Amino acid sequence: MTAQHAQWGSRLTFILAATGSAVGLGNIWKFPYMVGESGGAGFVLVYLVCIALIGMPVLVAEWLLGRRGGRNPIDTMAKLARERGRSRAWALLGVSGVLVGAVILSFYSVIGGWSLYYTGQAAGAQFAGADAEGVSEIFDRMLASPGTLLVVHTLFMAASVAIVARGLKGGIEMAVRLLMPTLAVLILVLLIYAMFTGHFGAALHYMFALDLDSLTGGTVLAAMGQAFFTLSVGAGIMMAYGSYLGQETDLLSTARTVIAFDTVFALAAGLIIFPIVFANGLETSEGPGLIFVTLPLAFAEMSGGTVIGVLFFVLLSFAALTSSISLLEPAVEFLDERSRLGRVGATVLSGALIWVLGIAALLSFNLWSAPLPVVDLTVFDLLDVMTSQYMLPLNGFFAVLFVGWVLDREQVRRELGLEGVRATLWSLAARVIAPLGVGAVFVAGLT
Ligand code: TRP
């Protein structure tokens, strides 16, 4: 075990790292296509409600647990359970978190690879003058080639490993400082472009004009899964990040900041993508390829589109990297603290295992595209659905339950700096609303 546990350089770096983890492909790639697959505003509403009522308490709970425990998620849970005289089985929550993070990274890296590929395409001016058909062709060609996907998946994984191996300060902090603000500026540029496509109103309507008919149990479950995915909760990641946190950081206000950034990025991505979808007569239900067949059209059309296109995909790749390094961190922290591998060895070993699983995921788009028996999903979809819709909410459920019901209530209130009504509200959220909310969504989704 490392003698001295590392700490974030400052509150700002912690906010940047947590935001870097939260904002990623989940916001820009996944959110728009999930909205499109589930028919628009109903999904968006449930998503926002889940973020506020479930995501926020779970996020705060994970940070609090991590900071209390001060170690990797597994030992943190074991230690806290012991302190409160509870079963050691709580350590399983940490185990599950570490595993889920690794599984998510396996398919996340495949999409990170797509971003890298598109950076290359944009740089080669491949989108210039392309129409909807040409752009789809580029996408299909990429998917059809296992070799191409393998190369870019490997590159993305290697970059993640290289950053995480360097440790907290040199790696993660450095990467988020510069990149996140630049990405925000570029999203703003694209948003302004989207406003002038003539279909911005339709996109607003699509995303926000509530039509309850589009809401099914499955949509509700998917929306909750997305809320967990986008906030990076339910996988031990925020617990691991919390373990590097000093006592002085105010968890509630930090959570509000991170959630605000995350939500703005997701909604902005939707408001950028859908006007392009409508303007070009594309399908909203395109699926995981949505941003890859819409944005290039915008880049093809706008002046300076090649430069903006390259910049955009570079930044998307970086946003994905600041998330992927967080997905790798809990497994690495655990192996590093519990073995003699050392930080570098631990990172390389975890990275290699995850890379192999990622290969199974990328083959889902070509050689192995037949759905698996029983579950009727491809490996890629199975990894995604299993983690986002089931394991993340389940882990989050137990994390917030532990903070709400197992930890000492007074101590938690003091730690969050809460008194009076706000303290009651917090208890209500952590003990009742968030756990029941997860339960209710499960019931709704499975019936
Ligand atoms: N939240 C990130 C995104 O939206 C992905 C991610 C990073 C994540 N860490 C996570 C998802 C932990 C679930 C759990 O792209």
Side-chain angles (χ1 to χ4, degrees), residues 63-346:
W63 283 344
L64 196 137
L65 291 171
R67 182 161 74 180
R68 279 278 183 95
R71 297 185 197 157
N72 67 74
I74 300 175
D75 290 323
T76 282
M77 286 314 300
K79 173 178 165 213
L80 295 178
R82 194 174 343 107
E83 279 175 10
R84 301 292 297 170
R86 297 304 165 104
S87 158
R88 292 195 53 180
W90 279 103
L92 288 177
L93 177 55
V95 175
S96 166
V98 168
L99 285 177
V100 176
V103 173
I104 291 180
L105 182 52
S106 70
F107 70 83
Y108 201 87
S109 169
V110 173
I111 313 296
W114 295 4
S115 318
L116 292 179
Y117 181 81
Y118 267 67
T119 307
Q121 295 293 302
Q126 296 296 318
F127 309 136
D131 54 9
E133 215 165 285
V135 166
S136 292
E137 224 177 86
I138 295 177
F139 185 66
D140 293 339
R141 206 180 331 124
M142 173 188 77
L143 286 192
S145 162
T148 305
L149 293 182
L150 181 63
V151 169
V152 287
H153 161 59
T154 308
L155 278 177
F156 186 83
M157 211 53 225
S160 310
V161 167
I163 297 177
V164 174
R166 297 186 60 193
L168 197 66
K169 290 246 152 48
I172 298 182
E173 291 192 3
M174 275 286 292
V176 287
R177 269 210 131 106
L178 207 92
L179 302 170
M180 298 314 293
T182 324
L183 183 65
V185 171
L186 217 63
I187 289 282
L188 197 65
V189 170
L190 286 172
L191 194 59
I192 293 170
Y193 168 82
M195 286 177 184
F196 289 102
T197 56
H199 291 75
F200 194 68
L204 275 176
H205 185 85
Y206 181 69
M207 281 178 62
F208 298 109
L210 190 56
D211 141 36
L212 287 174
D213 293 344
S214 67
L215 264 190
T216 62
T219 313
V220 173
L221 195 54
M224 177 173 73
Q226 176 60 13
F228 276 84
F229 188 92
T230 195
L231 293 182
S232 303
V233 291
I237 276 130
M238 290 305 188
M239 244 191 251
Y241 274 24
S243 74
Y244 302 122
L245 203 51
Q247 207 52 43
E248 66 294 342
T249 305
D250 178 48
L251 299 184
L252 287 170
S253 67
T254 309
R256 273 197 299 272
T257 309
V258 171
I259 290 178
F261 276 123
D262 188 74
T263 308
V264 167
F265 268 102
L267 294 178
L271 289 174
I272 290 168
I273 307 292
F274 287 113
I276 304 171
V277 171
F278 296 137
N280 292 281
L282 300 166
E283 293 291 333
T284 51
S285 58
E286 163 76 29
L290 189 64
I291 68 164
F292 297 97
V293 299
T294 49
L295 289 178
L297 288 173
F299 301 137
E301 195 177 82
M302 63 175 80
S303 57
T306 299
V307 176
I308 296 184
V310 174
L311 257 179
F312 177 83
F313 284 113
V314 168
L315 287 167
L316 182 66
S317 308
F318 276 114
L321 264 180
T322 59
S323 302
S324 66
I325 54 185
S326 77
L327 284 160
L328 194 49
E329 179 63 27
V332 170
E333 188 184 28
F334 175 71
L335 281 179
D336 182 25
E337 290 179 1
R338 283 298 205 81
S339 74
R340 287 159 183 256
L341 287 167
R343 176 114 190 153
V344 174

